[in-house]
């Protein structure tokens, strides 16, 4: 029988005999009063450091999951279960089983709230040029041809976006340039402006385009 220590908090005593009230496994910045932003930044930092040195597991049969197709630009989010070697979905897993060594780029709260207030045409007019640019840069124009065509058609069928709102939203362009195609498509699917039917059709078309 093997014993393992997980999620333990070990108190320690200083040389003067006084007991330290902080667990040694808890970083000082997160002790006691911690906010969500600080916690999220700390966890992201741990994942990034781990990803730099971690020897990613490899399927013994050389297979990858459905979510790995299109890696690294159009794949799914990395599979945390595969990372810890306990993913039971195998080839049918919708998450990526390949190495993700780059830190995840995220919008801040203000940027997310801004996107939530935007209409369909405003979101597409901002996101679509970046999707097209990244597809061209990464040799994905042929694979993503029908996806881009679908988004273009949707944009041309909508009323012209509010120029003032689009101009105000240009503040998020620097972070959009850092997003992968998968992350940009995710912004569209997460936007409350688009009907659920369109989001489902978009996901199915992306999956078919990548052979999932």
């Amino acid at each position: 029988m093997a014993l393992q220590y997980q999620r333990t908090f070990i108190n320690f005593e200083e040389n003067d005999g006084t007991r330290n009230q902080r667990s040694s496994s808890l970083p000082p910045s997160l002790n006691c009063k911690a906010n969500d932003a600080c916690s999220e930044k700390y966890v992201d930092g741990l994942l990034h450091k781990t990803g730099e040195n971690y020897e990613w597991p490899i399927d013994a049969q050389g297979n990858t999951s459905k979510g790995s197709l299109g890696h690294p630009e159009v794949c799914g989010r990395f599979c945390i279960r595969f990372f810890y070697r306990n993913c039971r979905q195998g080839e049918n897993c919708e998450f990526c089983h390949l190495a993700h060594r780059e830190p995840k780029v995220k919008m801040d709260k203000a940027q997310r709230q801004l996107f939530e207030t935007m209409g369909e045409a405003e979101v597409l007019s901002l996101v679509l040029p970046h999707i097209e640019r990244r597809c061209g840069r990464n040799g994905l124009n042929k694979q993503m041809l029908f996806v881009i065509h679908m988004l273009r058609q949707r944009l041309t069928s909508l009323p012209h976006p509010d120029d003032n709102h689009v101009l105000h939203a240009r503040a998020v362009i620097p972070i959009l340039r850092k997003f992968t195609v998968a992350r940009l498509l995710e912004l569209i699917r997460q936007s409350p402006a688009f009907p659920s039917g369109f989001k489902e059709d978009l996901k199915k078309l992306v999956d078919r385009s990548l052979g999932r």
Side-chain angles (χ1 to χ4, degrees):
M1 180 178 65
L3 299 178
Q4 293 183 343
Y5 287 94
Q6 294 184 345
R7 301 183 180 88
T8 58
F9 296 89
I10 303 173
N11 290 322
F12 61 91
E13 294 185 357
E14 302 288 359
N15 294 332
D16 60 0
T18 59
R19 180 174 293 276
N20 191 303
Q21 298 301 315
R22 178 178 62 82
S23 297
S24 61
S25 57
L26 187 65
S29 60
L30 297 183
N31 189 36
C32 300
K33 298 180 180 179
N35 53 55
D36 292 340
C38 183
S39 300
E40 184 176 341
K41 183 177 180 181
Y42 173 68
V43 172
D44 283 348
L46 283 181
L47 288 175
H48 178 48
K49 289 180 180 178
T50 303
E52 289 179 333
N53 304 304
Y54 182 71
E55 184 178 347
W56 286 76
I58 300 175
D59 192 317
Q61 286 75 39
N63 300 319
T64 57
S65 63
K66 291 194 298 185
S68 302
L69 297 175
H71 179 84
E73 192 65 33
V74 205
C75 61
R77 295 189 178 192
F78 80 90
C79 180
I80 190 66
R81 291 186 180 276
F82 186 74
F83 185 88
Y84 288 108
R85 302 175 189 268
N86 63 357
C87 177
R88 298 180 181 179
Q89 300 300 318
E91 293 181 36
N92 294 321
C93 182
E94 295 185 357
F95 296 94
C96 185
H97 285 189
L98 299 176
H100 286 244
R101 302 189 184 280
E102 295 297 324
K104 182 180 177 181
V105 181
K106 296 182 179 180
M107 288 184 170
D108 59 30
K109 184 177 180 180
Q111 292 168 333
R112 292 195 303 269
Q113 290 177 339
L114 176 61
F115 253 83
E116 289 174 359
T117 64
M118 296 172 63
E120 289 184 66
E122 294 163 346
V123 172
L124 286 175
S125 63
L126 276 176
V127 174
L128 183 52
H130 295 282
I131 293 177
E132 293 173 328
R133 188 177 300 113
R134 289 196 72 97
C135 283
R137 185 186 307 164
N138 293 280
L140 294 169
N141 281 337
K142 186 175 180 180
Q143 259 186 311
M144 301 296 289
L145 175 66
F146 294 108
V147 175
I148 293 174
H149 179 67
M150 178 185 183
L151 296 175
R152 282 178 180 168
Q153 278 194 322
R154 185 74 179 184
L155 180 58
T156 55
S157 69
L158 297 169
H160 189 73
D162 184 346
D163 291 333
N164 290 330
H165 204 163
V166 172
L167 184 63
H168 178 62
R170 288 185 179 278
V172 302
I173 287 180
I175 195 168
L176 292 181
R177 289 173 178 160
K178 300 178 182 179
F179 281 1
T180 62
V181 172
R183 186 69 183 93
L184 292 167
L185 291 170
E186 194 175 73
L187 285 179
I188 295 174
R189 294 198 300 268
Q190 290 177 344
S191 170
F194 295 87
S196 57
F198 175 78
K199 296 177 184 180
E200 285 297 321
D201 290 342
L202 177 61
K203 184 180 185 303
K204 291 177 182 178
L205 183 56
V206 171
D207 287 344
R208 286 200 301 269
S209 299
L210 297 173
R212 293 174 183 165

